[in-house]
Amino acid sequence: MMANPPPVRGRLLTDTWVLTVRNLRRHVRNPSQLAYSTALPVMWVLLFVYVFGGAIRVPGVKYVDF
């Protein structure tokens, strides 16, 4: 049993750092996965802006700003 557990913020930053390092190591071993995981979010943004941007109407606001 821990006497004083670390604060939540400290655990959050530590856990985030550990997961980031693990993922970077995995991407170094498999560069195609790095390219895919970088390109996919860009493709989604372009899809929603240019394909769905004109199809969805939001009253008083542009879809992209919404």
Side-chain angles (χ1 to χ4, degrees), residues 20-31 33-34:
T20 301
V21 170
R22 286 180 187 175
N23 284 325
L24 286 174
R25 285 181 185 157
R26 187 175 64 206
H27 286 315
V28 168
R29 283 187 238 135
N30 189 357
Q33 187 178 15
L34 177 62

Side-chain angles (χ1 to χ4, degrees), residues 23-56:
N23 284 325
L24 286 174
R25 285 181 185 157
R26 187 175 64 206
H27 286 315
V28 168
R29 283 187 238 135
N30 189 357
S32 63
Q33 187 178 15
L34 177 62
Y36 181 74
S37 64
T38 303
L40 191 63
V42 173
M43 291 179 355
W44 279 110
V45 168
L46 293 175
L47 175 78
F48 279 105
V49 169
Y50 292 110
V51 175
F52 296 136
I56 298 174

